[in-house]
Amino acid sequence: MDSHVVIDLGKKILILVEGIYSMEGSIVRLPDVIALKKKYKAYLYLDEAHSIGAMGATGKGVVEYFGCNPKDVDIMMGTFTKSFAASGGYIAGSKKLIDFIRTHSHSAIYATSMSPPIAQQTISSMKIIMGKDGSNQGQKRIEQLAWNTRYFRRRLHELGFIIYGNQDSPVVPLLIFLPAKVAAFARESLKRGLGTVVVGFPATPIIESRARFCLSAAHSKEMIDKALDIISELGDLLKLKYSKKSIQNLKLTRREMRKN
């Protein structure tokens, strides 16, 4: 099972998980976690910061991705800074829970209110994702993100890189391993016109340094191919193509291939 945190508060057990783990690119096995929650009569807290608006047939996150019942998740948290291109975030749950948070949370009591432009940006983004703007742009972008994710991951495997995470996760960590190569990868990428995010110790184990790529529906196939060419060149320069693993299970379906 994916890593998770279990807190025992006397008679209360709270399980905390992420929809997509931001440094690993792995997707939580939510049905198994829900089964665990029900077995021990625990509470479940789900952080959908990287999965809301990106996972599921209509962008409703990992709950929709696995076909689970939202009522099985006691607390759902997410951010407006990623899929919604705004700022702030949300916590969803029962009315009793939300009323308690509103009256007892320091961040809710002492924080400033969300500005009207940010609130409208969030609402507009939600309408597009849900198809309530009168167009199919939201659905097209969700499908495009799914295609971009699988294509990018498959091509990295073909090039010989070791990457972490689920094949449907738009968060793609590429393993660099050696700390001395982290800065070199970032600098050489930028020289070639590709901005990258590299991560090392203490955010990762000291010998599991990586570059982290986050796919977007706005990325065209041409943009992804250009990035892949640069990454491949750096893989040869810095000797990063460690993988010999078969990519048989990562091939795109015919339907997916026809999309581009």
Side-chain angles (χ1 to χ4, degrees):
M1 184 176 291
D2 292 313
S3 61
H4 58 274
V5 179
V6 177
I7 300 176
D8 186 348
L9 302 174
K11 295 181 179 179
K12 306 289 186 181
I13 299 175
L14 178 63
I15 303 172
L16 294 90
V17 295
E18 295 182 48
I20 296 177
Y21 286 83
S22 59
M23 284 298 156
E24 304 299 320
S26 55
I27 300 173
V28 66
R29 288 156 54 184
L30 190 60
D32 293 343
V33 175
I34 290 175
L36 189 70
K37 169 213 160 170
K38 290 180 176 179
K39 179 178 179 180
Y40 293 102
K41 295 180 172 55
Y43 294 97
L44 177 57
Y45 185 117
L46 174 62
D47 178 353
E48 291 239 57
H50 289 84
S51 50
I52 190 69
M55 301 298 300
T58 60
K60 294 179 181 177
V62 293
V63 175
E64 182 181 49
Y65 177 77
F66 286 107
C68 297
N69 187 342
K71 293 183 178 179
D72 288 330
V73 181
D74 300 285
I75 306 170
M76 300 183 74
M77 189 211 83
T79 179
F80 295 137
T81 62
K82 297 178 174 64
S83 295
F84 305 101
S87 67
Y90 65 89
I91 293 179
S94 67
K95 184 179 185 303
K96 183 178 180 181
L97 170 71
I98 300 305
D99 286 345
F100 180 86
I101 292 174
R102 280 176 173 161
T103 55
H104 290 78
S105 171
H106 288 268
S107 61
I109 295 171
Y110 295 107
T112 56
S113 299
M114 183 180 289
S115 67
I118 294 297
Q120 185 58 58
Q121 167 67 20
T122 304
I123 293 169
S124 298
S125 297
M126 284 186 176
K127 286 182 176 179
I128 293 171
I129 292 171
M130 297 170 69
K132 292 187 176 181
D133 63 331
S135 76
N136 64 345
Q137 281 299 310
Q139 190 62 42
K140 287 175 63 176
R141 294 182 191 189
I142 291 167
E143 292 175 359
Q144 186 63 51
L145 176 59
W147 192 92
N148 287 353
T149 296
R150 288 195 168 220
Y151 178 73
F152 187 67
R153 283 181 169 275
R154 182 177 64 86
R155 290 290 292 119
L156 287 177
H157 272 294
E158 288 176 344
L159 291 169
F161 293 101
I162 294 177
I163 60 175
Y164 277 175
N166 185 284
Q167 64 179 355
D168 291 329
S169 170
V171 177
V172 186
L174 183 152
L175 272 294
I176 297 175
F177 290 109
L178 299 179
K181 294 184 179 182
V182 174
F185 186 91
R187 285 196 300 265
E188 294 300 324
S189 294
L190 197 57
K191 283 181 184 178
R192 292 161 174 78
L194 177 65
T196 59
V197 175
V198 291
V199 189
F201 183 81
T204 70
I206 196 165
I207 57 170
E208 289 188 24
S209 301
R210 64 199 64 180
R212 192 186 71 156
F213 301 94
C214 293
L215 275 297
S216 166
H219 291 142
S220 66
K221 184 176 183 296
E222 291 71 25
M223 293 166 68
I224 294 174
D225 285 337
K226 182 178 179 180
L228 287 165
D229 289 341
I230 294 172
I231 295 167
S232 179
E233 182 183 346
L234 294 180
D236 294 330
L237 177 67
L238 301 175
K239 310 299 181 186
L240 300 177
K241 297 180 179 180
Y242 306 111
S243 178
K244 303 298 180 183
K245 186 177 180 180
S246 170
I247 61 164
Q248 183 176 0
N249 295 330
L250 292 169
K251 291 181 179 179
L252 299 179
T253 65
R254 291 181 180 179
R255 181 183 176 188
E256 290 173 321
M257 291 297 291
R258 283 199 299 269
K259 284 178 63 62
N260 283 269

